[in-house]
Amino acid sequence: MTIRSGLALISTLLVASISQADTVQDIERLRQHVAAHTSSYYRSVYGEADFKKNVQINVGHIDSRLRLAQCDDNLTFKIHEPPHNARNITVKTSCTSERRWTVYVPVSLDVYAEVVVATRSLQRGDVLDEEDIEFKRMNTSSVGRGYIGDPSRALGMEIKRPIKPGDVVRLPHLTRPDIVHKGQTVVVSTRSRFLKVETSGVALVDGHLGERIRVKNERSNRVVSAEVTAPGKVTVATR
């Protein structure tokens, strides 16, 4: 459902008409109910301390022209969260009394956290160290996908595209740096339970730590699949 600021959409299946004599639901009180439920839900998600420090909730406008039957004591709520930590959510608010109705209430959710940003201009191929990044407190609901809160996930990684000072460093911007390069002579270790043999080989492709690459044994000219274990070193697993 598309959220439009200032609108609360009424479910066409569940709306009940009310007469002039019926008690009408106070719209501001309805907003308070929605705020209380939404706050309670996110307190359970983030914990009380983090919620107070980092989460802000704002219930959107509900059309005051809506004539809903009084229902303070028979309300149910269902939170619809969009993917990827988007800021705008909706709370399906339903009255389960005799005169049933449902409205979809727009709510904005702002969640603040320390986010890794660049301290200088970074170019493709740069490998991140501690001087290249810093933390900045930001609204993660507006930052978008792929932001990094743990610097250990960024340090030692290679930049895939230019990043300007102050820009958010995102996981899709990073890749593991190659520590073995095509054409490089590497130490090939063959390990078994009782024996370790080392020989030399030539890497046929680039490879990063933990990646399996093709390596040609210089003595036998046999091409094997080996795991990159350190700069200039690969290991062939044996049974």
Side-chain angles (χ1 to χ4, degrees):
M1 174 175 291
T2 300
I3 303 169
R4 295 184 179 275
S5 175
L7 294 179
L9 301 181
I10 306 175
S11 170
T12 56
L13 297 177
L14 298 178
V15 172
S17 62
I18 63 177
S19 68
Q20 294 294 328
D22 289 322
T23 303
V24 178
Q25 174 67 48
D26 181 89
I27 296 300
E28 183 55 35
R29 185 165 177 78
L30 180 60
R31 291 181 72 253
Q32 293 171 4
H33 285 308
V34 173
H37 173 79
T38 307
S39 296
S40 177
Y41 172 78
Y42 284 105
R43 277 189 173 90
S44 68
V45 172
Y46 291 98
E48 184 68 24
D50 281 347
F51 178 85
K52 287 183 176 180
K53 181 181 179 182
N54 298 319
V55 181
Q56 295 179 7
I57 291 172
N58 182 53
V59 178
H61 175 71
I62 303 175
D63 194 337
S64 60
R65 295 171 297 179
L66 293 176
R67 292 181 55 80
L68 306 172
Q70 180 77 30
C71 196
D72 287 323
D73 298 327
N74 295 283
L75 292 171
T76 63
F77 307 91
K78 183 176 181 180
I79 294 176
H80 295 266
E81 297 178 291
H84 315 313
N85 297 321
R87 183 173 187 263
N88 295 320
I89 64 176
T90 54
V91 180
K92 180 182 178 182
T93 306
S94 300
C95 176
T96 59
S97 64
E98 182 179 352
R99 292 191 175 275
R100 296 171 178 265
W101 50 258
T102 293
V103 292
Y104 290 84
V105 182
V107 176
S108 62
L109 176 70
D110 295 320
V111 181
Y112 291 84
E114 298 293 317
V115 175
V116 173
V117 299
T119 59
R120 66 179 183 88
S121 294
L122 298 169
Q123 304 302 318
R124 181 176 180 178
D126 288 347
V127 176
L128 290 177
D129 61 31
E130 292 182 353
E131 295 181 352
D132 296 325
I133 59 175
E134 64 182 359
F135 278 123
K136 183 177 180 181
R137 182 174 169 79
M138 303 182 73
N139 182 354
T140 61
S141 302
S142 302
V143 166
R145 301 175 61 183
Y147 70 87
I148 301 171
D150 181 358
S152 66
R153 301 184 70 184
L155 294 175
M157 298 292 280
E158 183 178 319
I159 300 296
K160 293 167 59 176
R161 46 157 289 184
I163 301 176
K164 295 182 294 185
D167 279 0
V168 175
V169 178
R170 305 177 189 275
L171 288 175
H173 296 167
L174 308 178
T175 187
R176 294 181 183 180
D178 291 329
I179 57 175
V180 167
H181 300 282
K182 181 178 179 180
Q184 178 182 355
T185 299
V186 295
V187 175
V188 182
S189 297
T190 304
R191 297 176 182 269
S192 67
R193 183 176 178 184
F194 305 104
L195 185 65
K196 175 182 176 181
V197 178
E198 290 188 346
T199 187
S200 61
V202 177
L204 300 182
V205 293
D206 297 337
H208 56 69
L209 184 66
E211 185 177 10
R212 299 196 68 83
I213 65 171
R214 292 181 297 116
V215 178
K216 184 172 73 172
N217 187 305
E218 287 191 319
R219 293 184 178 179
S220 66
N221 286 327
R222 180 187 175 192
V223 176
V224 297
S225 175
E227 179 183 352
V228 178
T229 53
K233 294 184 178 181
V234 300
T235 298
V236 178
T238 60
R239 296 179 180 177

